[in-house]
Amino acid sequence: MPQANKHMKHIEVPGTRQFANRVDEFPDAVDLTLGQSDFSTPESVKEAAIEAIKNKEMRYSHNTGLLELREVISSYYKEKYGGEYDPHGEVLVTVGGSEGIDAILRAILDPGDEVLVPAPTYLGYEPIIELSGGVTKFIDTTKDGYIATPEAIEANITKRTKAVILNYPTNPTGVTYTKEQVDRLAEMFKQHDIFVITDEIYAENTLEGEHASMAAYPDIKDRVLVVNGLSKSHAMTGWRIGYVVGHRDIMEEVITVHLYNTICAAIPSQYAAIEALRNQRHVPAEMNEAYIRRRDYIYGRLVDMGLEVSKPTGAFYIFPSVSKYDEDSFRFATDLLETVQLAVVPGRSFSEFGEGHIRLSFACSMEELTEAADRLEKYIKMREAR
Ligand SMILES: Cc1ncc(COP(=O)(O)O)c(C=O)c1O
């Protein structure tokens, strides 16, 4: 029988999905596994897509996306994050942030190239690195408050290092980086000829302070590739619109991969994205008000339960340690689901450095969050009584 790509043997269905799928077996379950907002896409964004379907050509756009959208992204990046990107050749509209990550990795990696990934980490990078023939090198951030320090990254750079992938605000830990931390990283990257892939998809979900983007450092523009998108900022996961901005030399290669892979992102979604980034820039801040209330609530409950946990400064995840009950986070999460019907993601899904933790998403209603906290508390009391 013909065989699949040999890397496929090591690539599993992500832990987030595995648990979300199991939730269906428990009709009464409270589900805190998935990483998407419970808000709806803004009405005017939906209207913009409907309007476009009725009145605009539904043909392929330019491979890099509709010029109008690229111009909006370019001005948004300049105004919001201080990054200068030419809509002609430095902005690429992708099918979600995911396709951007895929196109970048395939455009830059040769077999054997190493990619440094601070961990615990989002689980979408490693499989694409492996499929591109690259080698993933996780960097342990657990002793540094889940922040990748310049020292830790530098200590892992070898002749084979091709890139580092930053992600902040961070999935799954909910931490984000201060301007000072980003400044120090940017300073260090000047000394090294490696690509800096910076997944800033949760930039708008910054819950403390301002997001400092890697796009804001002209000295290292030639090596920085920023991934962003509308999925999290405007509750638009199903629309599948992301984008990559970067220096035109490397963007040319990224655009070529994208062109062969997808031709262009869906046109109705591109029109929706224009409306979101042009007229609905206030929306993320409104959602953040709710996320902050929920964060404060769930953080307080977890602390009261005696769990070791840090207060999230970004994204909509909280990542308590459960190692005093079970070192094996898969076993803990499975038992939690089966005993009190609460679905969370085991920390090990986010690399070995997430072991001993669970990820709870607070992109859900306050009622669900309250019920989830009650169930977790009940479960913990049961464990203590065992
Ligand atoms: C860190 C991170 N990057 C990228 C993505 C994928 O985003 P998109 O839905 O835009 O493909 C996710 C989704 O959860 C994520 O958490």
Side-chain angles (χ1 to χ4, degrees):
M1 210 182 135
Q3 298 291 305
N5 179 331
K6 63 181 183 328
H7 297 294
M8 291 311 298
K9 286 201 176 59
H10 312 291
I11 297 176
E12 292 175 358
V13 176
T16 40
R17 278 272 152 221
Q18 283 178 28
F19 269 80
N21 294 345
R22 280 219 64 197
V23 180
D24 295 341
E25 295 169 33
F26 300 89
D28 195 27
V30 177
D31 183 4
L32 298 191
T33 61
L34 285 182
Q36 60 184 336
S37 180
D38 58 316
F39 291 101
S40 296
T41 303
E43 281 309 309
S44 76
V45 173
K46 296 183 194 167
E47 292 296 336
I50 293 166
E51 176 71 19
I53 290 169
K54 288 185 178 154
N55 300 316
K56 306 274 189 188
E57 290 293 355
M58 287 293 125
R59 306 218 162 111
Y60 297 133
S61 68
H62 189 279
N63 292 121
T64 56
L66 293 165
L67 178 58
E68 203 182 341
L69 177 53
R70 285 181 278 131
E71 284 172 346
V72 172
I73 293 169
S74 172
S75 69
Y76 169 73
Y77 249 77
K78 188 165 177 196
E79 285 159 34
K80 181 107 194 167
Y81 300 122
E84 301 257 4
Y85 296 97
D86 185 345
H88 300 277
E90 296 194 320
V91 178
L92 169 66
V93 179
T94 56
V95 181
S98 308
E99 196 241 325
I101 294 161
D102 177 79
I104 293 170
L105 289 169
R106 289 201 286 151
I108 65 169
L109 290 182
D110 282 309
D113 281 351
E114 291 175 3
V115 182
L116 306 179
V117 180
T121 171
Y122 171 57
L123 32 83
Y125 311 129
E126 189 185 13
I128 309 295
I129 295 168
E130 313 286 314
L131 282 172
S132 310
V135 179
T136 312
K137 294 266 163 180
F138 291 121
I139 299 176
D140 180 5
T141 64
T142 54
K143 309 278 180 306
D144 297 311
Y146 302 125
I147 299 288
T149 63
E151 294 75 21
I153 294 176
E154 222 163 14
N156 282 278
I157 294 177
T158 69
K159 286 200 296 294
R160 298 227 55 99
T161 308
K162 182 56 93 53
V164 56
I165 306 184
L166 302 175
N167 165 227
Y168 65 96
T170 307
N171 176 6
T173 59
V175 304
T176 195
Y177 292 36
T178 63
K179 167 97 170 45
E180 290 67 38
Q181 287 164 333
V182 180
D183 282 347
R184 287 187 67 228
L185 285 170
E187 196 54 37
M188 184 269 289
F189 289 134
K190 276 192 209 163
Q191 320 301 325
H192 298 280
D193 281 335
I194 60 172
F195 287 108
V196 180
I197 303 165
T198 173
D199 179 348
E200 301 182 15
I201 197 113
Y202 294 99
E204 290 272 19
N205 305 106
T206 298
L207 306 179
E208 304 277 336
E210 296 284 316
H211 179 76
S213 176
M214 270 286 159
Y217 302 86
D219 293 358
I220 51 167
K221 183 178 170 181
D222 61 352
R223 62 204 66 185
V224 171
L225 289 152
V226 187
V227 177
N228 207 327
L230 283 290
S231 296
K232 317 287 172 174
S233 64
H234 287 75
M236 289 177 70
T237 43
W239 296 79
R240 310 308 303 132
I241 292 287
Y243 50 89
V244 179
V245 294
H247 189 281
R248 67 178 62 256
D249 290 352
I250 187 60
M251 284 303 285
E252 193 178 331
E253 319 295 356
V254 178
I255 290 165
T256 305
V257 176
H258 162 84
L259 182 165
Y260 283 114
N261 194 11
T262 60
I263 304 185
C264 65
I267 306 304
S269 298
Q270 291 198 49
Y271 280 105
I274 293 171
E275 167 62 18
L277 288 183
R278 184 178 281 153
N279 301 322
Q280 302 301 321
R281 287 193 194 177
H282 56 282
V283 164
E286 287 167 13
M287 293 184 190
N288 286 348
E289 281 178 24
Y291 294 145
I292 289 169
R293 274 198 304 277
R294 297 166 189 178
R295 182 225 24 208
D296 291 348
Y297 172 77
I298 189 71
Y299 174 72
R301 290 288 307 263
L302 294 175
V303 169
D304 289 347
M305 286 176 217
L307 295 178
E308 193 191 311
V309 60
S310 44
K311 194 171 185 178
T313 50
F316 33 65
Y317 307 110
I318 191 159
F319 200 60
S321 169
V322 291
S323 62
K324 66 177 176 180
Y325 299 105
D326 201 335
E327 282 293 340
D328 184 330
S329 56
F330 259 90
R331 197 167 53 203
F332 182 92
T334 307
D335 198 40
L336 184 67
L337 179 62
E338 290 172 354
T339 316
V340 293
Q341 286 81 54
L342 172 60
V344 299
V345 185
R348 198 166 75 221
S349 313
F350 308 102
S351 85
E352 73 208 73
F353 298 109
E355 187 53 300
H357 293 71
I358 52 172
R359 188 193 78 177
L360 284 66
S361 167
F362 48 87
C364 61
S365 70
M366 209 49 176
E367 293 69 44
E368 282 173 296
L369 205 57
T370 308
E371 180 62 25
D374 291 347
R375 289 186 189 197
L376 183 61
E377 192 174 336
K378 182 174 159 200
Y379 176 76
I380 279 173
K381 284 194 179 136
M382 281 164 60
R383 293 277 316 214
E384 280 169 357
R386 267 184 202 170

